[in-house]
Amino acid sequence: HLPKSTRPDPLKNMYGLALLPDGSVIYTMEEHGGGIVKVDACGKVLWNLEGLFHHTISMSENNEYFWTYEGVHTANYPKLVKASSITGEIIETIDMKDVVEKNEFIHIFNMRKHAKTNTDMFDVSHANDIDELQGLQVNQFPNFNAGDLLLSFRNLNLIFIMDPKTLVIKWWRIGATDHQHD
């Protein structure tokens, strides 16, 4: 179901998945495994999206679309992808380079910028989770809007909230967590 994937099955790693109300499942097959797959409740492949995706399948409130990361998990500036859960087509892509530029006075992404060796620069951010603020949750978070994204960057011990339309970071915290994955 992922024709371009040449990795042997033991090297494929399911990083993220979502179980939908109808029993279907959407899952990633690690960044080297070949892509994202949706199967129905009986395991029949409904669609696949080949490419390098990892860590999360974060569904929208109505299960119409989901968010995930594109590229290798060691990328300093990963891409956020919004895709249709119905067809598997990519709806939107946000490049974290654009987010960093938009928030030039918030220096939360360059903590290891002046590391002394290249090994210190390997896997600087390790982006690993995206959660969208749902409409039912908005009343509990008056400073945010439905659709705002909570993101996790493990190796920076960073979590932050941004508006995916304007790319403005509304809130961030470093050090409240330690190498979090969710």
Side-chain angles (χ1 to χ4, degrees), residues 18-175:
L19 178 62
L20 282 77
D22 65 359
S24 61
V25 179
I26 300 174
Y27 58 93
T28 62
M29 289 303 294
E30 201 219 352
E31 57 271 14
H32 299 293
I36 301 174
V37 179
K38 181 176 182 181
V39 296
D40 68 14
C42 297
K44 177 185 172 201
V45 175
L46 300 175
W47 55 256
N48 64 59
L49 175 60
E50 295 195 90
L52 304 175
F53 301 97
H54 63 92
H55 272 91
T56 190
I57 299 291
S58 182
M59 300 303 298
S60 65
E61 186 168 17
N62 59 8
N63 295 317
E64 186 177 310
Y65 59 86
F66 62 90
W67 288 94
T68 191
Y69 288 106
E70 180 180 26
V72 295
H73 73 267
T74 57
N76 290 342
Y77 300 108
K79 291 184 178 166
L80 288 67
V81 171
K82 179 180 181 180
S84 167
S85 62
I86 312 300
T87 65
E89 293 179 66
I90 293 176
I91 299 168
E92 179 181 359
T93 300
I94 299 173
D95 191 324
M96 282 303 298
K97 284 183 185 177
D98 296 333
V99 175
V100 171
E101 287 176 17
K102 180 72 174 182
N103 298 276
E104 64 181 312
F105 298 110
I106 303 174
H107 305 287
I108 56 178
F109 301 103
N110 65 358
M111 291 175 54
R112 296 173 67 188
K113 183 167 133 180
H114 300 293
K116 296 181 190 220
T117 67
N118 284 340
T119 57
D120 289 338
M121 296 301 291
F122 177 75
D123 199 4
V124 171
S125 64
H126 197 103
N128 57 28
D129 202 10
I130 306 168
D131 285 312
E132 182 178 284
L133 183 62
Q134 309 293 321
L136 297 173
Q137 300 168 315
V138 171
N139 291 338
Q140 298 171 31
F141 302 97
N143 295 330
F144 309 116
N145 299 314
D148 284 351
L149 301 177
L150 172 65
L151 295 102
S152 167
F153 279 29
R154 183 195 80 174
N155 286 356
L156 295 175
N157 299 324
L158 167 67
I159 53 176
F160 63 99
I161 296 175
M162 71 170 223
D163 180 328
K165 294 179 182 84
T166 65
L167 306 184
V168 170
I169 294 174
K170 296 180 168 186
W171 176 91
W172 58 270
R173 180 69 45 100
I174 293 174

